[in-house]
Amino acid sequence: MYTFINSEMKKEYLGLEYIIFDNIIELEKKDQELVNSAIEASKRAYAPYSNFHVGAAVRLSNNMIIQGNNQENAAYPSGLCAERVTLFYAHSAYPNETIETIAIYANNIEETYKEIVTPCGACRQVMAEFQTAQNKPLRVILLSPELRGIILPSVNMLLPFQFEL
Ligand code: THU
């Protein structure tokens, strides 16, 4: 792809590392527990319109795990993704704790979905702001229904050049 650049300009490279795993049994016990909480939460999703059940679980610095799932509504835009339900709940109940890790799992009712779920833009923005506010990386674990997945060491990976005020 052609992009104009002259000698006064500079090119920068943004390199980001992440970890890939084939099964959650490879994860440390703490993360396995978190992932299992996200899976469990997905089973309680209220998703009668999409039939796409998403669960999220966050581990806080006090070691608590908070779970959430997507909550839909007949007025579609009124619904909310699992990630934001979970993050907003965790932050409203425990505003002084750091959010260490979020695990996200999704499956559809027909069980045809095979992908590693990746959060929507709005959820990335919310994760990014909480990460900035706590001044500590928020790790992200993304899973496929068959329990392969990736670990992102921080939200920067999902949202470089985040909007901030
Ligand atoms: N959804 C989530 O909860 N998280 C995601 O990362 C992707 C999408 C929800 C929103 C809606 O309830 C359903 O999945 C289909 O988009």
Side-chain angles (χ1 to χ4, degrees):
M1 201 202 359
Y2 171 75
T3 309
F4 175 78
I5 180 163
N6 69 22
S7 56
E8 305 298 309
M9 298 171 168
K10 210 168 89 181
K11 237 181 211 173
E12 292 276 353
Y13 174 74
L14 186 69
L16 298 158
E17 266 185 10
Y18 61 101
I19 297 156
I20 304 174
F21 56 88
D22 286 331
N23 193 285
I24 55 166
I25 54 172
E26 289 157 37
L27 302 179
E28 55 183 320
K29 283 278 168 301
K30 251 182 127 181
D31 286 342
Q32 285 190 33
E33 186 191 17
L34 193 66
V35 162
N36 284 324
S37 298
I39 297 168
E40 189 186 288
S42 75
K43 302 197 169 118
R44 301 190 299 264
Y46 177 65
Y49 304 101
S50 71
N51 286 328
F52 192 65
H53 293 189
V54 188
V58 296
R59 185 180 291 281
L60 303 179
S61 43
N62 63 3
N63 231 10
M64 277 185 80
I65 291 179
I66 303 290
Q67 296 172 302
N69 45 40
N70 52 331
Q71 297 291 317
E72 297 187 349
N73 193 276
Y76 290 1
S78 303
L80 202 63
C81 295
E83 294 89 328
R84 275 175 290 163
V85 168
T86 310
L87 289 164
F88 287 151
Y89 172 60
H91 203 251
S92 63
Y94 304 97
N96 301 319
E97 300 298 328
T98 299
I99 302 165
E100 291 185 345
T101 309
I102 182 167
I104 308 162
Y105 173 88
N107 208 345
N108 59 350
I109 237 170
E110 303 85 9
E111 298 193 348
T112 50
Y113 187 70
K114 300 281 173 228
E115 309 307 317
I116 292 172
V117 66
T118 52
C120 79
C123 289
R124 292 177 195 214
Q125 177 67 28
V126 169
M127 286 181 213
E129 176 147 342
F130 283 149
Q131 177 177 265
T132 303
Q134 71 187 21
N135 203 19
K136 264 198 169 170
L138 197 175
R139 287 168 78 235
V140 184
I141 305 177
L142 304 175
L143 298 143
S144 80
E146 283 152 348
L147 305 183
R148 34 183 204 96
I150 56 180
I151 304 175
L152 315 175
S154 103
V155 179
N156 303 359
M157 172 93 214
L158 287 172
L159 194 66
F161 305 108
Q162 79 177 83
F163 171 69
E164 285 178 280
L165 280 178

